Amino acid sequence: LRDTFDKILYIDIDLHHCDSIQEAYYNSNNVFVVSIHHKDIDFFPQNTGDKNKLGEKQGTFYNLNIPIHKNLKLTDDAFINILSKIIHRLNYYFQPECIVVCAGCDGLQSDPFKKWNLSINGITRAINMIITEMDKPTIILGGGGYNPYDTAKCWTSILANVCNINIDNDIPYHENYSKFKPHYQLNKMKMKLEDDDDVGVGINHNHFLVQSPQHQHQINMLDRKKQQKLNIHAMQMIYGHLNNFERLFVEKVLKSNRNKHKNGYHQHSHHQIRQQQSNGTNTVKKNNMEIKDEDEEENEDEDDDIDIADKHINDKSDNTDCDQENNNDSNNKVENDRNEDNDKEQNNENDEPKTEKSASLSSMNSNITAKKRQMTTTVTTKSRRKRRKLQ
């Protein structure tokens, strides 16, 4: 079952305490053990099944013992009432995924121990309540029962009820039919065992023959009102124990849930802080990358502007050089032409006066000088603009 289910509820309604089951899961919080059993000093098993045995380590408050005092003759209504309170609380707080029930029949009124006054219908109703209230996968196991005929009747009634099978209350005829006298009905118990064959195997017969009269004599010694007071007091002790156990169990569950919530909150906070830090780092990196990209784009734009300016300046300087060369060529041509004219004029025996020739030459030289100054000023202005753009 542990391989399939995480939370298992074990309910033992046998007259004896389930000491082995308690020991096996005493430290576990996955198996909740409930035992309703008779408690007396000399009753088997001894020194176990006390109500203060609540589990240890992780299994603390996952072990619930309901010891029934020896003076309490547990009846059907009281038994179902106790079991109902346990079932409702565990179904809410523990929320089991699977249920295992030990359906002992030694609490029947007809059992040789004669400790409880349960009936076949009472135990059947209790098992039916567990299945219907919990509504979980359930395994029903047999248990104690030392009146073999009434034990067989009780288990038959439980099985028919669980499987939703309608069976006749009259016991059909078979080879052991005579063993069920005087009542040959399923819901009626055989209150007295007449011979040794009627007692279960492995039981000390003389022990039961001695115990039953003694116990019956003790009950007869008690007054009816006194017995009723004892029953009320015993039931109050059981209810008080259940309420105290519920309080302790709820405190542990709430504490455990708070610790889980606290740890989960811290883990979430650390995770959120780390995420925010990582987001902030990514944002800073992203911003740095954007700034770097913008700087690179600006540098590229500036480089492009500088390249364009250099190209423009170079083009202008080239054009200026070409203009200067053209001007020089033109000046040289003019001078050559003038020289030729002068030569012609001299060859023509100085047709014009020398004063007029010198004036024309000086005016031409002044024009050439003005053009050179203008070109120099243009080149200087362009170089200044280039330096400003570079800065």
Side-chain angles (χ1 to χ4, degrees):
L1 291 177
R2 290 294 306 279
D3 294 335
T4 306
F5 303 102
D6 293 331
K7 293 183 178 181
I8 301 174
L9 174 61
Y10 179 85
I11 302 176
D12 193 313
I13 61 174
D14 192 272
L15 187 68
H16 304 83
H17 176 246
C18 56
D19 52 342
S20 298
I21 301 297
Q22 174 180 288
E23 183 179 357
Y25 302 103
Y26 202 63
N27 299 326
S28 174
N29 59 356
N30 294 321
V31 179
F32 199 111
V33 179
V34 178
S35 178
I36 303 175
H37 53 273
H38 178 76
K39 182 65 176 177
D40 202 354
I41 297 175
D42 57 350
F43 191 75
F44 179 85
Q46 298 176 357
N47 301 323
T48 184
D50 295 333
K51 63 181 180 180
N52 58 354
K53 298 293 183 180
L54 305 176
E56 293 180 353
K57 298 180 180 178
Q58 293 183 352
T60 306
F61 303 119
Y62 285 86
N63 189 85
L64 175 59
N65 288 321
I66 309 295
I68 305 300
H69 194 267
K70 62 180 181 179
N71 291 330
L72 178 59
K73 300 286 287 186
L74 198 61
T75 60
D76 291 344
D77 293 337
F79 177 68
I80 293 174
N81 193 306
I82 295 171
L83 194 59
S84 175
K85 293 181 181 298
I86 296 171
I87 293 302
H88 285 299
R89 285 161 173 76
L90 291 181
N91 194 26
Y92 180 77
Y93 295 119
F94 183 62
Q95 297 179 356
E97 300 174 2
C98 175
I99 304 170
V100 179
V101 180
C102 179
C105 296
D106 43 5
L108 289 173
Q109 186 180 5
S110 61
D111 192 86
F113 279 110
K114 295 189 180 297
K115 300 298 183 183
W116 294 347
N117 287 335
L118 301 180
S119 66
I120 294 174
N121 289 336
I123 294 178
T124 303
R125 285 165 51 200
I127 300 297
N128 182 68
M129 183 192 66
I130 294 173
I131 295 174
T132 54
E133 292 292 335
M134 302 298 287
D135 193 20
K136 296 293 189 298
T138 305
I139 297 176
I140 301 175
L141 307 175
Y146 305 100
N147 184 333
Y149 309 111
D150 287 346
T151 300
K153 289 180 182 180
C154 188
W155 285 344
T156 302
S157 176
I158 292 172
L159 184 62
N161 184 271
V162 168
C163 297
N164 198 19
I165 300 174
N166 293 322
I167 58 175
D168 193 356
N169 190 42
D170 294 330
I171 299 174
Y173 181 80
H174 58 285
E175 58 182 4
N176 293 320
Y177 184 77
S178 60
K179 299 290 185 179
F180 291 90
K181 64 180 182 181
H183 306 292
Y184 298 96
Q185 293 181 342
L186 189 64
N187 59 351
K188 291 185 177 180
M189 295 179 292
K190 188 175 183 179
M191 300 302 298
K192 184 178 179 181
L193 301 179
E194 296 177 354
D195 50 35
D196 292 345
D197 293 337
D198 292 331
V199 183
V201 179
I203 303 297
N204 187 350
H205 304 165
N206 294 327
H207 173 74
F208 289 113
L209 293 176
V210 172
Q211 280 281 6
S212 296
Q214 277 187 346
H215 197 73
Q216 190 66 33
H217 179 68
Q218 290 176 1
I219 292 176
N220 293 333
M221 291 289 292
L222 295 173
D223 184 69
R224 183 179 294 274
K225 292 184 179 180
K226 186 177 180 179
Q227 182 65 41
Q228 186 177 6
K229 290 181 180 180
L230 290 174
N231 292 342
I232 293 173
H233 179 68
M235 291 298 296
Q236 287 177 346
M237 291 179 62
I238 293 172
Y239 293 149
H241 173 54
L242 289 176
N243 293 332
N244 186 45
F245 183 88
E246 179 184 3
R247 178 180 60 82
L248 296 174
F249 182 80
V250 170
E251 287 179 357
K252 179 180 179 180
V253 170
L254 293 177
K255 184 178 179 181
S256 177
N257 291 336
R258 283 196 297 267
N259 292 333
K260 289 180 180 178
H261 178 72
K262 186 177 180 180
N263 294 331
Y265 175 76
H266 287 312
Q267 292 177 359
H268 177 71
S269 299
H270 293 315
H271 177 71
Q272 190 174 8
I273 291 171
R274 287 195 297 269
Q275 189 175 4
Q276 290 177 356
Q277 291 176 352
S278 63
N279 291 335
T281 304
N282 294 330
T283 303
V284 172
K285 290 180 179 179
K286 185 177 180 180
N287 293 333
N288 292 333
M289 291 294 292
E290 290 178 355
I291 294 170
K292 186 175 180 181
D293 293 338
E294 290 177 358
D295 293 337
E296 290 179 355
E297 290 178 358
E298 290 178 358
N299 292 330
E300 289 178 357
D301 293 337
E302 289 179 358
D303 293 338
D304 293 338
D305 294 337
I306 292 170
D307 293 338
I308 293 169
D310 292 337
K311 185 177 179 181
H312 182 71
I313 292 169
N314 292 329
D315 292 339
K316 292 293 184 180
S317 62
D318 292 338
N319 293 328
T320 304
D321 294 336
C322 291
D323 293 336
Q324 289 178 358
E325 290 177 358
N326 294 327
N327 291 328
N328 291 328
D329 292 337
S330 62
N331 291 330
N332 291 328
K333 187 177 180 181
V334 168
E335 290 179 357
N336 291 329
D337 293 335
R338 294 299 179 185
N339 291 328
E340 290 177 355
D341 292 335
N342 291 329
D343 292 337
K344 288 179 180 180
E345 289 177 356
Q346 289 179 2
N347 292 329
N348 291 324
E349 295 179 344
N350 295 325
D351 294 335
E352 294 180 355
K354 293 181 180 179
T355 56
E356 293 178 359
K357 292 180 181 180
S358 60
S360 61
L361 289 173
S362 62
S363 63
M364 291 177 66
N365 289 329
S366 63
N367 291 331
I368 292 169
T369 303
K371 288 183 179 180
K372 287 182 179 180
R373 288 178 181 176
Q374 185 178 1
M375 292 172 65
T376 303
T377 304
T378 303
V379 171
T380 303
T381 304
K382 290 181 178 179
S383 62
R384 287 178 182 175
R385 290 178 180 174
K386 181 178 179 181
R387 282 197 299 271
R388 287 177 182 174
K389 286 184 177 181
L390 292 174
Q391 290 177 357

